Amino acid sequence: MCDFKPGDEVEKFKEGARHAVSWPGRPPIGTIAIVEAIYRVPGTDLYGLDLVGWPNSPARYGFAAENWRKVHRRDLTAWLSAKATFEEPKRTPAKRRERA
């Protein structure tokens, strides 16, 4: 199952075994792109992606979805503006052992 949808921002995070040979226009690891279309490769359980949005690359079609992950951009302003509170844990005093 592929959870990408058109318009998602994705990042290449690995090279697939099927693409071990370098070809011109192949995006390097760390490339950010936008999903244009998703399709299932006929006769397999694999999904392919058509991508747009990275500079200097004529290639746009047929990328293995397994090599890409969604980019999750989070708004950190609320987290950064929250007051940090740390409470020292409550500790119980040690009990005295009685000697027999």
Side-chain angles (χ1 to χ4, degrees), residues 11-69:
E11 174 188 16
K12 185 172 185 181
F13 73 98
K14 72 173 187 172
E15 292 288 345
R18 290 171 283 156
H19 303 291
V21 179
S22 181
W23 48 271
R26 184 174 86 196
I29 291 176
T31 299
I32 305 288
I34 297 177
V35 175
E36 187 174 55
I38 301 109
Y39 54 90
R40 188 168 180 180
V41 178
T44 68
D45 289 336
L46 302 174
Y47 287 88
L49 301 175
D50 294 347
L51 304 171
V52 294
W54 71 87
N56 305 325
S57 179
R60 292 176 45 177
Y61 307 105
F63 295 102
E66 64 195 27
N67 300 331
W68 298 80
R69 65 178 164 216

